[in-house]
Amino acid sequence: MNAVIARTRFSVLDRSRIRAGRPPAEALRDTVALAREAEALGYHRFWVAEHHGVPGVAGSAPTVLAAAVAGATRTIRVGTGGVMLPNHQPLVVAEQFGVLESLFPGRIDMGLGRSVGFTDGVRRALGRDKEDAGDFAARLAELLGWFEGTSPTGVRARPSDGLRVPPFVLAMGEGARIAALAGLPMVIGDLRDRERMLRGIDQYRSLFRPSAWAAEPYVVVSGTVAVAGTSRAARRLLVPEAWAMAYARTHGTFPPLAPAEETEARAMTAKERDLFERGTAGQLAGTEEEVAGELEAVLKETGADEVLVTTSTYGRAELLDSYRRLASLFAPGPGGPRCEAGAPR
């Protein structure tokens, strides 16, 4: 077993992607089922995401879905990747995570992002605009204050007050600096844009201030990792998501995942083809041996403590097989013991 990979934590972020012709409810049930499999395979965390008004994503209420995941599993850490803090009042977010931590003590993570709605219509429906992302640092400090009992309002958040729910900042652009100055673990993506990722990691480490939440920097790198029996089969796993991204950028709406063979037979405009091919380029995809070599290079280059895998594809069996093959690189067998990294939990 590769020593660099073996000492790294591997976790899963599932976006509850809807498949073409299938109901959104099925995507949510698939997420819960995947969490059980991830736990059995030895993954460290299982996170769910927040998207509003997106035709291709069923995960709109991450704390609700996290409760379902935690209730269906026993040991894997469960959290959000993430709750988009500009969309919510920090007190309500604190209360939600306080309830989760109270029900599933020692297993809950609080991944937090600064994005607002995907479209103008969604932002209007949420009562937010793009500028609301600008006060993320203040909202983050307010949120943590509810757990520490330091709110200037004199109000105490119940049952959050005094609980310790590990916070993580999803770092896109300004997020790395905010995570560092707050002294929090950082999640940064994606693996295709290595230069940008390294700049963010360097900034984070250089500016990091120890806090009550983290004594030292903790870096989670996130992105797609697709593993199959052949390089071609692994690359085909990327096709449904790559087409969805190309379609979103040319039509303004993010669609459900379509089968790879349907996309491969599709007549695309030049712009669609360019965006689609860029969507499949630079991803970590291949056989176990090929992916192990790429992962080792990424981990040595970034010094990351953890990898958060965000793979989506149409075929559920193929997706699970990919996660099984990836797990064989860092765990001796399904559910078997493995080398653990340091804090946070």
Side-chain angles (χ1 to χ4, degrees), residues 291-308:
V291 168
E294 292 185 65
L295 275 174
E296 181 180 18
V298 168
L299 293 171
K300 286 181 175 178
E301 196 173 18
T302 62
D305 302 283
E306 186 170 338
V307 178
L308 183 65

Side-chain angles (χ1 to χ4, degrees), residues 116-251:
V116 289
F118 185 64
T119 65
D120 288 339
V122 170
R123 288 190 288 272
R124 285 194 301 271
L126 291 169
R128 300 291 187 266
D129 57 44
K130 290 182 179 180
E131 286 66 39
D132 285 315
D135 67 352
F136 176 73
R139 284 177 170 265
L140 178 62
E142 180 183 344
L143 172 61
L144 299 181
W146 289 115
F147 289 92
E148 297 167 326
T150 58
S151 171
T153 64
V155 175
R156 295 288 179 132
R158 309 293 182 193
S160 316
D161 191 19
L163 296 181
R164 303 293 291 179
V165 182
F168 295 74
V169 172
L170 278 60
M172 298 299 290
E174 181 71 1
R177 187 185 70 85
I178 292 171
L181 297 181
L184 301 180
M186 176 185 72
V187 182
I188 189 167
D190 74 36
L191 293 170
R192 288 176 299 174
D193 193 345
R194 208 68 54 79
E195 282 191 22
R196 183 184 180 193
M197 175 183 280
L198 289 171
R199 286 197 302 271
I201 291 172
D202 289 344
Q203 181 187 38
Y204 170 70
R205 290 195 174 117
S206 66
L207 295 176
F208 186 85
R209 297 176 181 174
S211 72
W213 298 97
E216 57 189 23
Y218 189 89
V219 175
V220 183
V221 295
S222 69
T224 294
V225 183
V227 194
T230 66
S231 300
R232 183 175 183 276
R235 289 286 166 190
R236 286 193 93 227
L237 293 177
L238 307 176
V239 167
E241 187 75 12
W243 169 247
M245 291 298 298
Y247 187 92
R249 293 186 178 182
T250 51
H251 294 78

Side-chain angles (χ1 to χ4, degrees), residues 244-318:
M245 291 298 298
Y247 187 92
R249 293 186 178 182
T250 51
H251 294 78
T253 183
F254 198 62
L257 295 175
E261 57 270 20
E262 181 180 309
T263 298
E264 290 168 340
R266 188 183 301 274
M268 300 184 192
T269 66
K271 184 175 182 180
E272 287 173 341
R273 176 65 62 182
D274 177 63
L275 289 168
F276 169 71
E277 290 178 353
R278 279 196 272 164
T280 60
Q283 306 277 21
L284 269 64
T287 64
E288 288 94 322
E289 184 178 0
E290 291 167 340
V291 168
E294 292 185 65
L295 275 174
E296 181 180 18
V298 168
L299 293 171
K300 286 181 175 178
E301 196 173 18
T302 62
D305 302 283
E306 186 170 338
V307 178
L308 183 65
V309 184
T310 64
T311 310
S312 296
T313 195
Y314 181 85
R316 300 301 299 182
E318 291 82 359

